[in-house]
Amino acid sequence: MSSTTASETDLAELVAEAVDRRRNFAIISHPDAGKTTLTEKLLLYGGAIQQAGAVKARGEQRKVTSDWMELEKQRGISITSTVLQFDYDTTTINLLDTPGHQDFSEDTYRTLAAADNAVMLEDAAKGLEPQTRKLFEVCRMRKIPIFTFINKMDRPGREPLTLLDEIESELELTPWAVNWPIGSGEQFRGVIDRRSREVVLFSRAERGKQAEEQKLSLDDPALRELVEEELLDLAIEEMELLDAAGAELDIEMVHAGELTPVFFGSAMTNFGVRPFLDAFLEMAQRPIARSSSEGLIDPLREGFSGFVFKLQANMDPRHRDRVAFVRVCSGRFEKDMTVKHARTGKAIRLSRPQKLFGQDRAVVEDAYPGDVIGLNNPGMFSIGDTLYVGPKVEFEGIPCFSPEIFSWLRNPNPSAFKNFRKGVNELREEGAVQILYDVDESKRDPILAAVGQLQLEVVQHRLESEYGVETRLEPLGYQVARWVAGGWPELEKLGRIFNCKTVRDAWNRPVLLFKNEWNLNQLKEDHPDFELSNVAPVVSGVEPISL
């Protein structure tokens, strides 16, 4: 065997071993279900941080690792996505942290494009909430396996059986409880693992530290001395009901997104976080093959390939940097390697790749399928771009969703136009909001299009704090946007249309804005063959318009 073949074999084995060791996931939830707290506690158990920060950090308390933007710290919410990579036991975990606020669901959709598994977090008192349902549909669309963590069991909540029933009836997803709670609220004592019949009892830990756990067999007589008899009997009775229902834990169904393993616990008090993490790592799927122009790309494919799923400007305000987040899909990524950029056909040398951990970075030497790396972005990357080595490959693009709020963005200070233009272009690249333009070329001001009002406020806040530009928002009275399926030629065939405004998106495609659904339906009735889409067509090989 020649030395080249030997080194190729070694590399293939190295990649296979790395893929086997990796688990990649995102957490989806409604705001306030405890997502940031759970993220912190997973990091705590992974040894990635020594003490978990309280979500709304005050004074001397530590700031939450995953929330870095000033506005997030002021409001105690997550509005940007970051990546947190850490090792736990023999596994390398890539946790894609997503925004918790519903105005930023588009950022979450994009992050889910890079995830292999999802953890659905539910509040035990509230059950399924609107944002969770919306994000669940995205996971279903992408056939992502879903693991459910029912949180806040240390507070008064709904009956566990009712919560399982709701998942089954409303999401048409079969739940399988991996563990079962003993008591709830003030009387939450621990969980019983249904597979091993092992009981894990918790005692409250010092704030921010790992919970003290005591493990016993369900048949251990000592258990009755540690837990109130009626709480234990009720938990056993409910478990017998579940056993009688007869569902089996089928890992193939989990990976197909048809069955969800369910766990109970409390992230705030650390109850049940370690049992969840251990079982999740055992059941979650490894990095999987991805759809592309060349069919499915296996993670073990020889050459490196990856796609950009997120852009972020000014993660470090001192350096005015722009970072492209790339999900590695196949092969081995190495520092200083030269890759092909599928959209432009250019060769790019990736000289300063970074491993990200919230706002902290370290230069990365290599990365494998399932990992996320940060690349310095001097304006050449767009969301959805593919990078590859070897035969050409282009991954499926990431769609833009329909915005519901539209405002002119006015720059009252002409001398600040240069910074205004730079800020608008960089924030558009990042996908913070969608930018639309009037078809009348004399109206130069951009139109911000967003899912929620907070997105617009964040753009204004960032233009002022990062680019030194004060701006005014002037609302347009529209609520619905639709892309014209056949582009400008189809729109011209239609002639004059009423009760809607025509604008261009950043790729110079026609978008119709309607005041309400009624006006949209009226147009559909008048022109039944005219096709409109509520998701922007995926772009490839076209440069966007700059302001």
Side-chain angles (χ1 to χ4, degrees), residues 49-65:
I49 52 176
Q50 297 310 307
Q51 187 171 15
V55 182
K56 294 183 178 160
R58 293 278 179 268
E60 292 306 300
Q61 284 180 308
R62 292 172 58 87
K63 291 275 188 274
V64 172
T65 305

Side-chain angles (χ1 to χ4, degrees), residues 34-48:
K35 183 174 67 64
T36 304
T37 312
L38 180 63
T39 303
E40 286 285 324
K41 299 308 165 74
L42 293 171
L43 298 179
L44 178 69
Y45 280 100

Side-chain angles (χ1 to χ4, degrees), residues 233-286:
D233 287 343
L234 178 63
I236 291 169
E237 191 183 313
E238 288 175 334
M239 275 177 36
E240 283 168 357
L241 278 175
L242 291 176
D243 292 342
E248 294 288 321
L249 178 59
D250 181 329
I251 296 297
E252 276 181 27
M253 280 177 72
V254 172
H255 290 180
E258 292 166 17
L259 184 141
T260 179
V262 181
F263 303 83
F264 292 86
S266 159
M268 187 55 92
T269 56
N270 289 328
F271 289 6
V273 178
R274 188 193 292 279
F276 159 70
L277 186 56
D278 288 340
F280 168 76
L281 295 177
E282 177 197 326
M283 295 182 213
Q285 67 179 359
R286 289 158 180 75

Side-chain angles (χ1 to χ4, degrees), residues 12 33 71 88 130 220 233 249 352 359 374 382 420 431 435 447 527:
L71 203 64
Y88 176 76
D220 191 327
D233 287 343
L249 178 59
R352 282 192 54 78
Q359 206 176 358
S382 293
F420 174 70
I435 305 275
I447 297 165
H527 304 278

